Amino acid sequence: MDLTKAFATFQRTVDADIDQVKLARERRDAFKRALKGEPGVLEVFGSGSLARSTQLKPVHDVDLIAVFDAAVHPEWGQVGDSSAEALEVVREMVKRLLGDNEGTVAELVRLAKPRDRAVKCFIDPPEQDDAFTVDVMPVLRQADNTLLVPSKRKRYWSTADPENLIAQVEERQQEWSHFRPTVRVLKQWRHGVPTKVKSLVMEVLALKCLPTDKTRPLALRAFFTAAAVEVNYGVVDPARHCGAIQPDLDTEVLRTALESARDIAEKACAAAADGDSDGAALLWRELFGDDFPAPEEKSSGTAVGPFLYVPRPVVDAPQG
Amino acid sequence: MSDLLVLVSGEAARRMKEGGQWGQITFRVSDPDNVGAVIAVSDGSNPVMPTPLHSTNHFLNAGHARGQHRWYRAAPELHLLWWHARNTGREVALEVFKEKVAGRWLSPSAGRNYVALTVATEAPAEYPDISIPEMVAWYVTPDAACPVAIDVVSAEHGFPQLAGHWPTTHLAESSIMLVGAGSIGGAAAHALASYGVGRLVLIDPDRLLSHNVVRHVSSAKHVGRLKVDAVKQELAEAWPATRVDTLPVDAIAAAHLIRPRLRHVDVVLCTADGVAARRVISHLARRARTDAVLACALQDGAIGEIIRLRPWSDHGCLTCHREALTARGAMDPEPALDLGYGTGTTHRPMTAVGGDLHLVAQVAAKTAVATVLERRGHPDQKLPGEHAILGLRPALGWAPPFDLNRSGDIRWLPHSPPHPGCPTCEEP
Ligand SMILES: [Zn+2]
């Protein structure tokens, strides 16, 4: 079978539904339009996987960042209650502009709840599966272009640089058109790891370990090899502001899963190099699950068997 | 006597390729070696300009200079004739040769034979499959032109030649700290450079003394120098692609100088003598979250040992590793360990032979390089374990896992977990 086609078919099962992404973008844009007109709001932009085009299906949350004018809110950024205050300002804005019975811009948001760092805005009815939410985070921009983000729980603001991640993903995508799609594949793969792995962990590992100068199979093999090692040194914010992305990550479980994936990927690449693309496809299917297309049965009626190593003789062509 | 060989540096080749129809050449020659190298070239009747030799200390720098030789632009068929004549042991008649070259002809005469280089930048159209050299050499006599062996240095020489076969870029981007430039360390430095490691940081406070020479890669001409300087100079000559920084300090006394540098290297390879220095490196590397490889010979050179210490949550440090072996009855602690600093013997007596120590160094360098490459995504660089024992002169009666009984045997063992309460392994 044609492995390139098989990867393309698999990719479609991983990628978010186009209509769903479109709806998410429309809703995001409604928020942008509404908030941009408000006094004290300097910029509104998307962050998160939708902004980086690394979203996995189903899309059920959108992250928005609203940059406020520090001159209008001089007390923001300081230790104390100003984080909670900033979230309250956003909650009030969303309710007034986008509330579902009296919103002046659109009637969209059923409920706006301040969480630790952002206001979670519920749009779809609560009984719907994968109810859709928009997170709006109020921030201040610092002189070095990084952002100050609030934490209601910790009662202080910390430095973050989500635009750095957006730019890095964009740069890799320019180098290799399969970069974002493969990040989605890796995020999907993590759901099979027997411990909780945040999707951002996979994305940051991909930035470090996924090469951009290879075919998809070889790039995946290199990724699993490198990531099984890299994960042991800690997966941290690539902009180096926020430290560990998932402090409670069970490194040893993730490492073991990455090592098994590496071993399967290595066999799949060996099968493909031997011209056994059916065997390779079966191995990729073992790695990624049944969404990866299975090879068709041979016309003779014999089922496709698993790839078996046929030991090859070593060529007697000595180098001195 | 071997056949004449003509050497052409990259710069000399470029001048001829980019020049006009002909020019003059000056060679520097060694008659005992039967070699000549181009040291100056002209474009036509313009002045003859010097072209540097392959390296500043090339042996022909001491040879005799001989002028009045020639280069000509040539028809591509002439190079086909050269190739054919070289392979059949024949010559090309002078008339034929003369007809195929351009530029101002220099007639050979009795007692005035000369060497000609010819340049043809296109292979003959009727033989597209044969790789005919762009530049060939001839010995021109009044009767014939004899094909002569030629070696042209190309800009792609060096590690770019291996690109596509070996991850040259990943290694050129890597840097390794080498603590200890003694018998194992010096050999490891050469081995690491031969893998294409881009940068080495050499750390050793000692000078090369005459008694070291029997086991050290540096020869007697360096006796009296700092070992790091001797090794650095040799690497500059043998492996110019590797950048070498030196720090002639003691790892224990100057830990404050090593600590910040550890954060900027991929691996530290420690070949230092004695337990104390190895413990310091194990501790500092763990704190810096840098992989460490420790290499030594044990039991008077009977066993080689390589330990890889990865700063992973479930991998222990050197102390934890040694405690596990001691608890199994496999190892006794070093007897002088508990003496105060400066009272114990920091250097082991010389009992191992140089070749065996160099073998340990080679495996240690491979371990360090594999560590770098696995993290860069090369599955063929996975190691079978974290602790290797090499039989050098194994004897019967040692406790497992040191119970090797054949020379050349390599046994790989897993890591040891961190010991609860270990001051190195537990986060501060
Ligand atoms: Zn320890």
Side-chain angles (χ1 to χ4, degrees):
Chain A
M1 76 184 292
D2 184 335
L3 274 179
T4 310
K5 274 190 194 153
F7 267 97
T9 306
F10 174 52
Q11 188 74 53
R12 280 194 291 278
T13 72
V14 170
D15 291 348
D17 182 65
I18 290 187
D19 291 339
Q20 225 181 7
V21 172
K22 206 169 140 235
L23 179 66
R25 295 218 161 107
E26 279 168 15
R27 288 171 165 179
R28 179 193 69 189
D29 292 345
F31 271 73
K32 276 193 188 178
R33 267 198 315 278
L35 295 172
K36 262 185 184 161
E38 283 295 288
V41 176
L42 299 175
E43 309 162 54
V44 184
F45 57 88
S47 67
S49 61
L50 190 70
R52 300 188 298 271
S53 298
T54 54
Q55 75 283 358
L56 197 58
K57 82 174 180 188
V59 180
H60 47 62
D61 54 358
V62 169
D63 296 307
L64 271 185
I65 287 177
V67 183
F68 280 79
D69 188 346
V72 176
H73 302 284
E75 70 288 5
W76 290 13
Q78 288 167 23
V79 178
D81 295 329
S82 62
S83 289
E85 214 172 278
L87 292 168
E88 188 48 36
V89 166
V90 170
R91 193 199 64 83
E92 182 280 319
M93 268 182 192
V94 169
K95 198 77 190 151
R96 175 164 48 81
L97 302 167
L98 297 160
D100 62 359
N101 48 17
E102 78 273 20
T104 53
V105 175
E107 298 197 338
L108 200 60
V109 177
R110 183 171 57 76
L111 180 66
K113 262 190 163 169
R115 295 278 170 95
D116 182 35
R117 294 186 175 281
V119 176
K120 198 170 252 327
C121 305
F122 296 84
I123 294 178
D124 295 321
E127 63 276 12
Q128 184 178 326
D129 287 346
D130 303 320
F132 193 93
T133 61
V134 176
D135 282 13
V136 185
M137 179 163 70
V139 306
L140 298 173
R141 195 177 280 289
Q142 306 189 93
D144 65 355
N145 231 9
T146 58
L147 303 178
L148 263 185
V149 305
S151 171
K152 198 165 83 175
R153 206 173 333 123
K154 293 181 184 152
R155 294 167 50 82
Y156 68 75
W157 299 61
S158 52
T159 297
D161 193 358
E163 291 152 297
N164 174 291
L165 187 60
I166 296 173
Q168 284 199 44
V169 171
E170 172 63 30
E171 195 181 303
R172 298 304 159 86
Q173 180 65 21
Q174 294 296 326
E175 291 169 13
W176 192 46
S177 65
H178 293 304
F179 187 78
R180 280 175 178 146
T182 307
V183 169
R184 288 181 222 129
V185 164
L186 294 171
K187 285 183 175 182
Q188 165 98 345
W189 169 84
R190 89 185 196 281
H191 289 309
V193 178
T195 186
K196 186 194 152 205
V197 181
K198 282 192 172 174
S199 94
L200 192 56
V201 165
M202 296 310 294
E203 191 153 344
V204 170
L205 276 176
L207 281 174
K208 205 145 196 186
C209 303
L210 182 63
T212 54
D213 58 351
K214 293 184 162 52
T215 62
R216 267 183 290 189
L218 293 178
L220 285 165
R221 184 183 70 176
F223 170 82
F224 287 119
T225 303
V229 176
E230 194 60 50
V231 71
N232 298 285
Y233 300 82
V235 184
V236 299
D237 167 27
R240 306 200 165 275
H241 296 298
C242 311
I245 286 170
Q246 187 184 344
D248 66 346
L249 176 67
D250 190 332
T251 303
E252 287 160 38
V253 172
L254 177 55
R255 181 219 301 161
T256 305
L258 288 163
E259 284 172 347
S260 316
R262 170 200 69 196
D263 293 345
I264 300 171
E266 215 181 337
K267 281 190 216 163
C269 290
D274 253 6
D276 180 6
S277 53
D278 284 358
L282 281 177
L283 285 155
W284 288 117
R285 192 172 155 89
E286 183 185 335
L287 208 169
F288 290 123
D290 292 348
D291 284 340
F292 198 94
E296 289 154 28
E297 290 202 356
K298 297 268 194 274
S299 50
S300 60
T302 52
V304 179
F307 170 67
L308 293 173
Y309 283 112
V310 180
R312 270 173 308 201
V314 169
V315 180
D316 186 12
Q319 279 188 42
Chain B
M1 176 145 175
S2 56
D3 288 345
L4 174 63
L5 172 68
V6 171
L7 303 180
V8 186
S9 70
E11 172 64 8
R14 189 187 62 78
R15 295 242 204 114
M16 288 181 264
K17 277 182 211 165
E18 293 174 5
Q21 299 297 303
W22 68 284
Q24 300 188 62
I25 292 178
T26 304
F27 287 98
R28 205 180 277 284
V29 179
S30 164
D31 288 324
D33 296 293
N34 208 11
V35 177
V38 176
I39 56 160
V41 173
S42 82
D43 183 8
S45 42
N46 293 320
V48 180
M49 303 294 285
T51 55
L53 276 178
H54 302 60
S55 73
T56 48
N57 54 357
H58 192 271
F59 76 97
L60 277 176
N61 279 319
H64 302 287
R66 291 191 195 143
Q68 298 295 315
H69 297 275
R70 265 294 197 268
W71 70 268
Y72 301 108
R73 189 138 324 258
E77 307 89 78
L78 181 65
H79 287 204
L80 193 62
L81 287 176
W82 178 90
W83 185 82
H84 188 71
R86 279 281 299 166
N87 286 304
T88 53
R90 285 184 230 185
E91 309 171 334
V92 173
L94 190 69
E95 286 312 305
V96 176
F97 181 80
K98 190 178 169 184
E99 197 180 285
K100 302 270 184 216
V101 299
R104 187 186 294 172
W105 173 248
L106 174 65
S107 272
S109 53
R112 190 65 207 101
N113 302 331
Y114 66 93
V115 170
L117 300 188
T118 56
V119 181
T121 44
E122 283 166 30
E126 61 267 41
Y127 298 99
D129 299 339
I130 302 181
S131 166
I132 299 292
E134 287 185 328
M135 183 171 289
V136 301
W138 308 84
Y139 188 68
V140 185
T141 70
D143 303 319
C146 314
V148 168
I150 185 169
D151 182 45
V152 184
V153 179
S154 122
E156 283 82 47
H157 283 185
F159 280 99
Q161 285 173 275
L162 294 175
H165 304 284
W166 177 247
T168 52
T169 309
H170 285 167
L171 282 166
E173 290 165 359
S174 73
S175 57
I176 292 182
M177 178 190 283
L178 183 57
V179 176
S183 306
I184 296 182
H190 280 263
L192 291 168
S194 77
Y195 279 116
V197 170
R199 179 169 159 262
L200 291 179
V201 184
L202 303 181
I203 297 178
D204 193 314
D206 290 348
R207 291 177 184 275
L208 186 74
L209 300 179
S210 47
H211 72 268
N212 297 135
V213 172
V214 65
R215 317 196 299 184
H216 204 273
V217 286
S218 298
S219 59
K221 73 176 180 182
H222 291 291
V223 166
R225 300 179 93 174
L226 289 167
K227 287 176 179 173
V228 290
D229 288 338
V231 171
K232 178 176 177 164
Q233 190 192 322
E234 287 168 341
L235 291 178
E237 290 168 7
W239 304 103
T242 300
R243 210 181 93 209
V244 179
D245 297 330
T246 58
L247 190 63
V249 298
D250 178 87
I252 304 170
H256 63 290
L257 296 177
I258 292 177
R259 190 178 294 117
R261 285 170 170 83
L262 272 174
R263 294 185 193 281
H264 303 289
V265 298
D266 296 288
V267 176
V268 51
L269 173 51
C270 177
T271 65
D273 280 342
V275 172
R278 285 157 53 94
R279 281 192 175 174
V280 166
I281 294 304
S282 160
H283 181 80
L284 296 179
R286 179 109 187 168
R287 283 283 177 273
R289 298 209 136 223
T290 299
D291 295 298
V293 175
L294 313 181
C296 67
L298 296 168
Q299 288 293 329
D300 291 333
I303 299 170
E305 187 196 50
I306 289 137
I307 307 171
R308 176 165 69 175
L309 301 171
R310 289 166 137 180
W312 298 7
S313 57
D314 56 337
H315 287 222
C317 68
L318 176 66
T319 311
C320 292
H321 185 263
R322 286 318 201 207
E323 274 176 12
L325 286 172
T326 307
R328 287 170 60 185
M331 198 161 221
D332 278 338
E334 134 112 64
L337 188 63
D338 294 329
L339 299 178
Y341 179 66
T343 55
T345 44
T346 53
H347 294 284
R348 302 283 86 217
M350 289 204 350
T351 47
V353 70
D356 274 350
L357 296 175
H358 299 182
L359 176 63
V360 173
Q362 200 74 41
V363 181
K366 177 71 188 172
T367 302
V369 164
T371 302
V372 171
L373 290 179
E374 187 189 3
R375 196 171 175 182
R376 297 298 300 261
H378 297 277
D380 59 358
Q381 298 298 303
K382 301 189 298 283
L383 293 178
E386 305 295 319
H387 179 208
I389 301 164
L390 270 78
L392 302 173
R393 306 178 63 193
L396 293 178
W398 288 317
F402 297 103
D403 54 340
L404 298 167
N405 57 14
R406 291 290 185 271
S407 183
D409 197 3
I410 301 186
R411 179 177 292 173
W412 283 92
L413 303 152
H415 64 273
S416 299
H419 205 266
C422 169
T424 296
C425 293
E426 297 208 338
E427 292 292 326

